[in-house]
Structures are given as C-alpha cells and as structure tokens.
Amino acid sequence: MAPSGLKAVVGEKILNGVIKSVKKDGDWKVLIVDHMSMRILSSCCKMSDILAEGVTIVEDINKRREPIGSLEAIYLISPVEKSVRALINDFKDSVLTYKAAHIFFTDTCPDGLFAEIGRSRIAKVVKTLKEINVAFLPCESQVFSLDDPTSMHSFYSPNTNVDKGKMMEILAEQIATLCDTLKEYPAVRYRRGPEENARLAEEVYQRLNAHKADNPSMGEGADKARSQLLIVDRAFDPISPILHELTFQAMVYDLLDIQQDIYRYETSGIGNSNHREVLLDEDDELWVQLRHMHIADVTKKVTELLRNFCESKRMCTDNANIKDLSQMLKKMPQYQKELSMYSTHLHLAEACMNKFKASLDKLCEVEQDLAMGSNAEGEPLKDAMKSIVPILLNNDIEPYDKIRIILLYIFHKKKGIGEENLTKLIQHANIQPDSNIITNLQHLGCNIIAGGPNAGKTIPDQKERTESTYQLSRWTPIIKDLMENVIEDKLDRKQWPFISDPAPINTTQTAVSSARFGHWHKNKSPAEYCSGPRLIIFVIGGVSHSEMRSAYEVTRATDGKWEVLIGSSHILTPTSFLNDLKTLEQVPNPDCQTST
C-alpha cells in the first residue's frame, strides 16, 4: 500500500529534497544517518526506494565505519552535538572517510555547531549544506510524534533537571517543522489554565513566524487561513488513556506485547510450529481497514474478506479459521502473502478476545459506567463504590487494572476524594507499591485529593451523543468534542484563546477553488493533496490510540473538507502512561540521559 497523508509527504521530501537532489547518473553514494533521522527515514521510506536512487549503503554515524574514499556521502542527521562531532571526525584525518559530504540537517543547526563545522577540515569537502525541516516522526497518515518518551517527566516532574525553557524551544521548533512540511501557517490556540500550554503556544507562534519568513508560501491557498494548531495538556482528558478500549488497534497495543510496532507469535500448522513477526503499519492494507473497528466486528470482517478472497480465486472454504488457512496455504502456495495477512489478523483478534474473556468483560462495564456517570441504560450511577469494591478485592485482577478503576472512580467524583478514603481503596486493592501513580496525577493538574492542590479543576463535560454504540464502548475521547467544535467554529475563545487574532476568512475563495475541482490533484505532490484547512492538535504528555482514532473519524465526517492531525511527544498505552506517572517524582540519573 502506497504511503498516504503525512508519511507520503515526508517520504517525498526525503527522496526528492535529499537523495535525488544530489544524485548524478552512474554515481553511487553512501547515506549516513543518526538515531532520530533513521527513525524518520524508516517510518516513511522503503529501503528499496532509497537504494534505487543510487545509495549503495545506509550507515549509522555513531558506529565505526570502513572508509570509502571513492564515494561521496549524504549525511541526513539531526543538528545535535553528538552527530555534528561524529560528522567532523569523519574528515579530521588526512585520509578522508568519504570523497565529499552533502549535509542535510533535520532542522535548524545552532550557531555554535555551525561555526564548528566552518572551522573544521570538513568545510573544504562540503558540497551541500541544507536544513530540511523534518524534526518529527510521521507515525501514521494523520499521526505524528516528536519521539521523546521522557517528555512527561520533563514537563511535570517536581524533580526534573531539564531546562524547561530550552526544552520548549526544541519542541516548538519540531512542531514548526511539521507545519512547514505541510505548508501550513495555522492560527495557534491553547487551553487556558496550565502555564505550560500558553508558553509552548507562544514559542510555537514565534517559530512559525520565523519559518514563514524563510518560506513565504506557507499557509497560502484557498481555505488555508482557517487552519488551526491547538496545544492541549494531558490533564484535559486523563480518562481516555486509562480506559480499556475495545477498538482493534487500541486493544492490541494495550493487551498484547507489541514492541516497536512488531507483533510476535507462534503459528501452528499441521505438525509444525513457526515463530512469526509482523509489522503493524500502513503498508498492511488490512490493518488500515481494521484498526479503528470494534473488536466484535473485526473477526467477522476478516472472515468475510477471506471468504471473498477465496471465492475470487475459486478456492473452496467452508469455515475460514486458522486451521483451514494452514491447509489452504499448502494447496495454494502462490497466495501465501495474502493468506498470511488474513491469518495474522485473525490471530491478533483471537489473542485480544482471549484476554478480554479471561478478565476484562466485567471490568469494562464498570469502567464505562464510571467514565460516563451512568449505566448502559442511561440511568445515573448511584453507588459507584458498590461497583468497584468487588474488583479491588479480587486477587486475580492485575494491580494496574485496579489502579485504572480507582482513578476512574476519583474522576467520577469530580471534586476528588478524601485522603482517608483513598488510603482505604489502596488497602482494599493491595496496590501499596504502585499507589504513587494515583497521587502523581496531581502534578499534571488533575484533581485527586478533595481540597488538594488542584481543587476546583474539573474535567470538561462531554457532548451528548446519540449515535448507537456497543455497551462497553460508550465513552468518546473529549478531544473528539474539541475537534468537532473547532471545525464548526464553536470552540470557546475565552477557554481556548488565540496567540494572535486569526486572519479574516475570505469565504469567496472557497467557491473559486471548487469551480476548478477535478483538476487540482493532477501533477501535484502529496503535500498539496489536502487543499482544505487542517486542524493540528499537539497533546503535551502523550496521546492515546482512541484520540488518534478520533482524528480519522472527524476527518471522515467532514467528507474531506478538513484534515485533522494529532500528535504528541510520544504515543501512550495505558501501561506506559501509568509507568510514566509512577516514575514522575524520581530524580533522573544524569549518566543515563543520552542525547538524541
């Protein structure tokens, strides 16, 4: 499946703006990357595409490399001290590691490092020196990450040793490179209250202006004046990251051991068993089709698609199950790729359902009632304590699942709970070693202890939604309300102020562009496919899978008139969110901190 959206835009920028820009027929080159640029590269480019453009080898700048003095090198690196020093070292001896250097920084190179390059021997062999302004990871077509899982600690820990001002400058620059890449110059807004939101929004606004000065075409085009960038903090909705979500992608990442988007499992065919590894990404069309569906619909859908596939190939199948698939593979080895794909997703869905049936059925019902404040029939929850005590006393339920229930109970109470009450809940649940997770949420600005430091701060009320849904999936992330309100221009300007007044919207432009509709996509790059406005949301402290799903749902509901992108420093699973909270008060060990 060809990359789409954000991945396609970044992939094209790297292939055209970096690799093809220095390509000469018959000339091979070496591509040198660092940790961050390798992550960007592998998220949106196939190795075969890179090699097809005259690159003979891709190497890590921080590893020992054999000199190849006959070839020129393309350096795609982030402008950090470690990478720049390694670059300078490649050319410090009389025997050069490469014949010449084409340097592409992911974003703005600080003056000090730039001066070091100018003073070193490399200055004599540099043929290209550019900043490409891609300092973010395109995780999905509408999701981005700044690849910094330590960000919650840096923002909210009382014991952080990070220079907050400096950190915000770096984050703001990364967010500005996203807008630059998308050719957007959005109006910047933030949630009033937490000072971090206003500071980051102001910093982003300054960076956008600097990028606009260098790249005046940013934000040009019909309807682009309506694009907005919102800065939101994690305390705006602390419920979505802790609920058990029953849509496929969220469930897979919550319940199964997925490392770097790879699912590992054993397949058992007739008389043999194989270890398989599958990458869950947008190259897998079936994954894209299924990832936002409710788990109850996933198995049905895969089975239906498999039946259709088998019928189209005149293969006979009565019951599309895993056992049948292994038999079919033996009979029809030419369809191994397709059948393996169906097999993987049936396996994934089955693994999720097994976990769900084992312990989550009752748990999800209580979670939804607490989050919604009412039961499946819409009756208000009268005695929440009665629902949660059996769960807390059940020794078969994992400590983190109990913590998720306690937190939902506290949020249900709106004003927090008394300290004594909290101590009793912790004792009932027997979660003393992990109890600081609950109190540490106060550092994010959540109201946990009644009359505590965040008294008066409440989670926003949700929109009333009438569409039918599964009983165990009644909750809608609050960020979805936010997205819809921006698009309908109903977002409260006092609660969500603009950093500077947005440009007046010229409504006549829309009609002009629609008259030319039908030709706009010809000979255009993917960056220009979205001709309407974009809404970009940045969540401080991590974004959950249900919030990522909301971006696609809201985009689809506008019939493509708007595109919603969402991102954060990193993507959360419920477990990683609770782990982040658990270590929030720890003092970081300076020896363990590496420069990225």
Side-chain angles (χ1 to χ4, degrees), residues 18 30-33 37 61 65 72-77 83 86-91 97-98 100-106 122 128 130:
V18 177
V30 182
L31 178 60
I32 312 293
V33 292
S37 63
I61 195 165
R65 288 160 282 125
E72 295 182 355
I74 302 170
Y75 287 83
L76 176 59
I77 55 176
S83 299
L87 163 71
I88 290 170
N89 279 343
D90 279 354
F91 297 89
T97 312
Y98 308 106
H102 300 271
I103 304 166
F104 295 88
F105 286 121
T106 52
I122 193 174
T128 314
K130 283 184 181 169

Side-chain angles (χ1 to χ4, degrees), residues 3-20 40-46 49-50 53 76 132 134 136-138 140 181-182 525-527:
S4 63
L6 197 52
K7 284 194 162 202
V9 174
V10 176
E12 187 186 70
K13 200 169 184 181
I14 288 172
L15 279 176
N16 289 341
V18 177
I19 295 165
K20 287 185 185 174
I40 296 167
L41 198 63
S42 52
S43 70
C44 60
C45 293
K46 284 196 167 69
D49 294 337
I50 294 164
E53 296 303 337
L76 176 59
I132 64 163
V134 179
F136 59 90
L137 284 187
E140 293 182 5
T181 296
L182 293 169
S525 70

